[in-house]
Amino acid sequence: MNWIRSILLVLPVAACSPALAQTVKFEDSAALLGASCAKDIEANCRGVNLDPTRMKDCLSRNQDVLSPQCKSDYGKAFEAIQKRVTARAAVFKLCERDIVKLCGVTDKADRTKALECLIAGPRGIGINCNKSVIEAGYR
């Protein structure tokens, strides 16, 4: 049961986060997966590396023996994780102008400084940029 708790900790970190209208937190997706599939993971995916891709592959391969609840929820959990990942990747693309104009960050490698500035929400940040920061779960 301890390694199930590890899933709840590793999935959010390993998956880094997307857009449902508002995206679901990594922790919520991992909690859904842990609540619905803990016994199925224990029984069918023992020894599998706990990264999201391998866990999803294991659950897909064992679909015929999964509980109905796990079958129903694991797709939703991984879809939510993928949406958050996509939203986080989109932030820097959608906010490129705002990052340069309002944050003074011209070095694309300095994402940490740019993200800190965007999260602070400077005056004049664009609507699409602001929306993408929220959907990515940074604010």
Side-chain angles (χ1 to χ4, degrees):
M1 195 64 167
N2 284 337
W3 78 278
I4 298 301
R5 287 188 189 130
S6 298
I7 291 171
L8 299 177
L9 296 173
V10 172
L11 275 177
V13 173
C16 246
S17 247
L20 269 153
Q22 273 198 325
T23 57
V24 176
K25 293 180 184 178
F26 287 129
E27 297 85 1
D28 294 342
S29 296
L32 174 64
L33 186 63
S36 298
C37 299
K39 290 179 184 176
D40 295 294
I41 292 168
E42 180 81 32
N44 300 300
C45 301
R46 192 175 293 239
V48 172
N49 187 339
L50 296 179
D51 71 75
T53 303
R54 290 186 183 141
M55 187 61 64
K56 183 178 180 182
D57 290 344
C58 178
L59 291 172
S60 294
R61 274 193 317 274
N62 293 293
Q63 218 174 16
D64 56 333
V65 295
L66 297 179
S67 67
Q69 188 66 45
C70 182
K71 281 183 190 179
S72 169
D73 290 344
Y74 89 87
K76 293 175 194 171
F78 285 109
E79 181 181 332
I81 289 168
Q82 187 55 49
K83 284 183 178 181
R84 178 59 64 102
V85 169
T86 302
R88 287 199 171 180
V91 165
F92 296 99
K93 187 174 184 177
L94 292 170
C95 296
E96 191 170 14
R97 273 193 206 146
D98 293 326
I99 290 169
V100 172
K101 181 181 168 187
L102 302 171
C103 301
V105 178
T106 55
D107 183 8
K108 289 187 178 185
D110 198 357
R111 289 185 166 213
T112 303
K113 184 177 176 184
L115 190 57
E116 288 172 355
C117 174
L118 291 173
I119 291 169
R123 281 188 99 100
I125 192 169
I127 294 169
N128 289 334
C129 177
N130 189 48
K131 183 178 175 186
S132 72
V133 169
I134 292 168
E135 287 178 348
Y138 290 127
R139 239 191 272 138

